[in-house]
Amino acid sequence: MDEECGTECGFKVDIADKSDRLQLELLLLRQKSMQIVLPPEVEALVQRQLTSGKYQNAIAVILAGIKLLEQQEDIYQGRLQDLQEEARIGWEASERGEVVDGSAAMAQIRANVRSRYGVSDEA
């Protein structure tokens, strides 16, 4: 996997091993230090993770959290793009006159739910 540290360091390295990549990330973090004051509850969470033995230091815990945040953002962006595409398809269908009356659509949805789950309309 190719990793670039950005324009600041001006080099590119090939890092296949995750531990090597983490070490590079830690090195880059040390080069660009940032002081953060954690609220007590977050500090306690970091300490619990360290005590569990999953992480070697607080930076590794924070990096793991940041990676999860990035993954969550990627998922959100992917779903947002999917929804935008579905909306575009629906809009184009409506422009062509390929629409279903709302009450007819709800009746079909209710019928599908009843047949699939044996659920009645009484609620």
Side-chain angles (χ1 to χ4, degrees), residues 11-123:
F11 67 89
K12 184 176 180 178
V13 292
D14 181 34
I15 302 174
D17 183 54
K18 276 188 161 186
S19 65
D20 289 343
R21 188 170 62 230
L22 180 60
Q23 291 302 321
L24 175 62
E25 290 169 353
L26 292 173
L27 175 65
L28 292 174
L29 279 176
R30 286 186 193 114
Q31 290 177 352
K32 297 180 185 180
S33 65
M34 177 187 298
Q35 291 185 339
I36 300 173
V37 177
L38 300 175
E41 60 275 8
V42 175
E43 190 174 337
L45 172 64
V46 169
Q47 190 57 49
R48 283 194 308 273
Q49 294 299 315
L50 291 172
T51 302
S52 74
K54 294 180 195 174
Y55 301 94
Q56 293 180 338
N57 54 49
I59 292 173
V61 175
I62 292 169
L63 280 174
I66 291 170
K67 287 179 183 185
L68 285 173
L69 179 60
E70 287 176 336
Q71 290 172 358
Q72 184 181 19
E73 285 292 318
D74 289 346
I75 290 168
Y76 171 79
Q77 285 300 317
R79 185 62 185 134
L80 177 61
Q81 290 173 352
D82 291 346
L83 289 171
Q84 289 172 333
E85 177 65 12
E86 290 172 14
R88 184 191 61 75
I89 290 168
W91 178 260
E92 289 173 357
S94 71
E95 290 288 305
R96 294 188 302 268
E98 301 169 0
V99 294
V100 176
D101 176 62
S103 58
M106 288 306 298
Q108 183 61 50
I109 291 169
R110 287 187 184 101
N112 290 345
V113 168
R114 279 193 305 273
S115 68
R116 180 176 288 172
Y117 301 107
V119 176
S120 69
D121 284 342
E122 311 300 317

